[in-house]
Amino acid sequence: MTKEATPVKGYLNKAGNFVLEYLVLIAILLLVIITAIIEPRFLTVENFTNIMRQFGPLSFTALGMTFIIVGGFIDLSLPGIISLVSMITLSLYDTIGEVPAMMVGIALGTTLGILNGTILVASGATTQAKALFITFGMSEIYKAVSQLYTGGSPQDRNFFESPMPVTNALSSGSVGGIFPIAFFVFLFFLTILFIFQKKTLTGRSINYTGGNFVAAELGGIPTKRIMIIIYAICGFMTAIGAIVLFSRTPVASPLMGADYARDSIMAVVVGGTSLLGGRGSVLRTVLGVSLIILLFNCIVLISTNQFLPEVIRGAVLVLAIWLDHRRHAKG
């Protein structure tokens, strides 16, 4: 009896591991099939274009957050960076021009990321818990600075006199009327970051640092430099996300990035990157972003309840953390 049951148990364990490993892909496939059956509008070209447009601010911030979490840390400063970059970039449109203003915004976001990493290194914060509180504090500082800079007032893009061809292209531009330009920008940075993560020594060192910080340091990996690099990447990608975000809104507010730290962490963990660090990739994050975007797209199509998305968002986050714990427990 025991001898016959053992192979069955082995097969069940393998099946369970397979489901855990590819759960996001399975969920995406089931979601597409079920929604297509319930709501025919889901498979229309218009909805397909809408889904690709949603690969906007969240996709950029989530790609940056991937390196933070893989490196064994966390970053709650995204709302503050989005706020400060948005306000300063927009304010420079009429002064120095659209593209130079964007370059300043990207440089500012990268600098704020470097500042985050430098403060963590200087304070000896080598754990996720310490990074959480410090970066939350930095976010509050950045938001306060953005409010001081603008007097707490939102900025209406319609008041700017300079032409905004790039901003408009990111907002509503498309190729063939189907493929949004912002989606191609996302694919470009995804490719660059994937090559960096998989093909460079620094990219691989991020995984080692997140897997075991002390062992990585003893093994000769420059862990402090890695900390600054991952926060610089996150600041850079968050700045790009901020530019895409305010390109799609007529009014930019100092508080416009409020939910992006939470949603970025959720996308990364849903994709299968371990919250404990050391394991994950930008491709997994793309799967997490895809599932979240598809899920909310389906909710909008099927339900008119405005509070349901928030319930689903909380449930998905709890489930993602539980699954991450299960994956880690299985080794």
Side-chain angles (χ1 to χ4, degrees), residues 80-96:
I81 293 177
I82 289 174
S83 173
L84 190 53
V85 167
S86 298
M87 296 300 100
I88 290 181
T89 302
L90 271 174
S91 71
L92 294 174
Y93 266 34
D94 283 343
T95 306
I96 62 176

Side-chain angles (χ1 to χ4, degrees), residues 44-56:
T44 61
V45 174
E46 292 78 8
N47 191 55
F48 177 69
T49 302
N50 180 46
I51 290 172
M52 284 194 295
R53 283 197 190 282
Q54 293 177 54
F55 274 86

Side-chain angles (χ1 to χ4, degrees), residues 18 25 29 54 56 72 76 109 125 137 141 162 224 229 257 279 301 304 319-320 331:
F18 177 85
L25 281 173
L29 182 61
Q54 293 177 54
L76 297 186
I141 292 172
S162 61
K224 293 181 175 60
I229 288 173
R279 184 177 62 191
L301 288 174
T304 58
L319 179 61

Side-chain angles (χ1 to χ4, degrees), residues 157 216 228 329:
R157 289 203 289 117
I228 294 173

